[in-house]
Amino acid sequence: MGASALLLFGATGDLARRMLLPSLYALYDDGLLPKDLRIVGTARSALDDRGYRDMAEDALSEFLPGHDRDGASIPAFLEHLYYHPMDILAGDDGFSRLSEKLEDTSDGLSIFLSTAPSLFEPTIRGLQAAGLAHDGVRIGLEKPLGTDLQSSCEINDAVASAFPEDRIFRIDHYLGKETVQNLLALRFANVLFEPLWNEEHIDHVQITVAETVGLEGRVDYYDGVGALRDMVQNHVLQLLALVAMEPPSSFDATAVRDEKVKVLRSLRPITCDDSVLGQYEGYDAELKRDSATETFVALKANVDNWRWAGVPFYLRTGKKLAERRTEIVVQFKPIPHNIFASRGANSVPNRLIIAIQPQENIHLSVMAKVPGLDRGGIKLREVPLDISMPDAFAGPRRRIAYERLLLDLIEGDQTLFVRRDEVEAQWQWIDAVRACWTETAKTPEVYQEGSLGPEVADALVKRDGRVWHD
Ligand code: BG6
């Protein structure tokens, strides 16, 4: 059942302006939203419907990717927007007035909740008291869902007291990215990779999520959270789970999530030497006080199961690095025997690079013979087999991750949302990493803006005889 109303908490915030409103407009423009969908925004700002529509119009002119839409249907889209100012903690009749604003929700209501962790509980209570948690209501939860396992469990318990798991949609926007979903197609819609996708043939895996941006005014949220909890706990571990999981029996919510959670639960608690923390130079000045929050983290993870025994997963992410790059590198093992050795030629092990952003492509390096008569010996060289996704699929429009996720929420498909057991397995592993840091009083190493992170991150892979793919 598709919802007839959508309720956006945090409706005037950065996420709403940059991502949610442009995504909703794009879906509307393509005729993908229910025809009479009523979109009600709520936040503390004292706006009325008109004021909110003006704000939304400004947000669209600023953040809508301009090149592929003419915006002609924006005025009609804005007519679907309504606004209800509310202070969640006020304890007044705000929620029941919100319910009136939503009008009849018996045909279905989808809620998008992005709020500070401390507001989850009062919000859920308010929704329940106002009759906005009935069987036709689904709730999408945006991070941060807690700061550790315990606080995450508290949030999950609070939400579970009003909504069953099959109506809870925990968002990890990386799962909405086209190339991330394509990882599943690459693995499970081809016969080529799966037979090699194991410890017998793979030497190690690298997952890099490098950003050039700093904190862009989010320092209050970020400080005390850091790269481990902001990025690894969710996005990076979800990427790892997709790379490492067993083939699900079908592409549906239960099958996919069952396999992911098995991987997350198989993560070996890391030892203190297996992580490196960094902080970009100038962070303290930006914050105007000293802080030990990491803006970079590199980790060596292991998945303790038959498929991945002895195959390290090197993970790293950081802010203010040299380039924006999200990629997964699968480094294969050397060939078992080099028949060209007697002719002086070396073979370099194959490598598969799945570039997620900003470039979307798949790059497989294979060995080939350098043309020639080979009188001085055979020469072999790595050549790339490159698939550029934008070139291969020039027609279909590139979607913002939230377009897909909002539509799935409205239509009730949970496949690309994170289940409670996954989130908790993620936190369990992350809490153990943090416990190590506390135990050894580990503090971040300073790195320069525009660098590849602290040099010690290199040592993490070098000591295993490997290098980062840069
Ligand atoms: C968010 C983090 O979840 O993901 C941000 O809170 C980060 O710190 C962002 O910048 C990265 O998302 P993307 O889609 O730009 O890679």
Side-chain angles (χ1 to χ4, degrees), residues 340 343-348 366-384:
F340 302 104
R343 305 284 194 103
N346 288 327
S347 172
V348 179
V366 294
M367 294 308 291
K369 188 178 102 55
V370 178
L373 297 177
D374 311 320
R375 295 302 92 184
I378 290 183
K379 287 199 182 67
L380 298 176
R381 213 182 67 203
E382 267 182 294
V383 288

Side-chain angles (χ1 to χ4, degrees), residues 142-143 171-177 235 401-402 405:
E142 179 58 81
K143 69 181 265 257
I171 293 159
D172 183 315
H173 79 278
Y174 268 53
L175 296 181
K177 291 182 191 273
H235 312 320
Y402 282 96
L405 297 177

Side-chain angles (χ1 to χ4, degrees), residues 197-352:
W197 212 257
N198 54 49
E199 50 76 38
E200 202 181 328
H201 301 287
I202 293 179
D203 177 73
H204 73 276
V205 176
Q206 298 183 10
I207 301 178
T208 297
V209 184
E211 296 186 280
T212 50
V213 291
L215 296 179
E216 326 280 297
R218 292 164 76 228
V219 71
D220 286 340
Y221 150 73
Y222 192 88
D223 191 58
V225 172
L228 182 73
R229 290 187 276 186
D230 183 48
M231 294 295 283
V232 181
Q233 186 273 337
N234 37 61
H235 312 320
V236 176
L237 288 186
Q238 282 292 320
L239 292 178
L240 182 151
L242 294 174
V243 172
M245 72 186 198
E246 296 300 317
S249 61
S250 71
F251 188 56
D252 76 43
T254 304
V256 169
R257 299 186 305 175
D258 280 353
E259 295 308 336
K260 279 195 295 166
V261 77
K262 282 190 221 161
V263 172
L264 295 166
R265 286 188 182 141
S266 309
L267 282 168
R268 185 190 308 165
I270 69 169
T271 65
C272 292
D273 300 340
D274 286 342
S275 66
V276 167
L277 285 71
Q279 187 186 75
Y280 62 74
E281 195 173 15
Y283 179 86
D284 286 349
E286 204 174 320
L287 191 65
K288 299 191 185 69
R289 60 182 153 81
D290 289 350
S291 163
T293 297
E294 81 287 356
T295 58
F296 174 97
V297 64
L299 302 154
K300 177 181 171 184
N302 284 279
V303 178
D304 277 340
N305 62 20
W306 277 40
R307 185 189 280 262
W308 297 112
V311 182
F313 284 71
Y314 298 102
L315 318 174
R316 63 181 170 161
T317 182
K319 303 264 183 212
K320 290 210 178 183
L321 297 178
E323 56 176 334
R324 177 167 189 247
R325 180 160 53 98
T326 301
E327 69 177 18
I328 297 166
V329 177
V330 179
Q331 178 62 60
F332 290 95
K333 288 189 169 165
I335 48 173
H337 169 69
N338 179 9
I339 64 164
F340 302 104
S342 56
R343 305 284 194 103
N346 288 327
S347 172
V348 179
N350 302 118
R351 189 171 52 201
L352 174 69

Side-chain angles (χ1 to χ4, degrees), residues 1-3 27 32-33 110 138 169 175-176 181 251 401-417:
M1 179 179 68
L27 293 172
L32 294 169
L33 293 182
S110 299
R138 302 189 185 104
F169 291 65
L175 296 181
Q181 294 156 42
F251 188 56
Y402 282 96
E403 285 183 49
R404 137 87 58 164
L405 297 177
L406 283 165
L407 194 59
D408 284 355
L409 168 67
I410 291 167
E411 292 180 347
D413 182 347
Q414 288 187 304
T415 313
L416 297 176
F417 294 84

Side-chain angles (χ1 to χ4, degrees), residues 96-152:
S96 57
R97 284 189 294 114
L98 173 64
S99 167
E100 283 161 24
K101 188 95 194 174
L102 282 160
E103 297 186 342
D104 181 9
T105 61
S106 57
D107 279 346
L109 166 69
S110 299
I111 301 174
F112 185 100
L113 182 54
S114 76
T115 183
S118 59
L119 295 181
F120 271 106
E121 224 181 306
T123 307
I124 300 294
R125 276 204 308 272
L127 288 170
Q128 207 170 15
L132 294 175
H134 60 77
D135 287 355
V137 185
R138 302 189 185 104
I139 187 159
L141 306 175
E142 179 58 81
K143 69 181 265 257
L145 293 180
T147 52
D148 56 13
L149 178 60
Q150 193 189 331
S151 54
S152 156

Side-chain angles (χ1 to χ4, degrees), residues 184-205:
L184 295 182
L186 188 75
R187 283 195 62 194
F188 303 128
N190 293 293
V191 76
L192 291 181
F193 300 107
E194 213 42 35
L196 305 179
W197 212 257
N198 54 49
E199 50 76 38
E200 202 181 328
H201 301 287
I202 293 179
D203 177 73
H204 73 276
V205 176

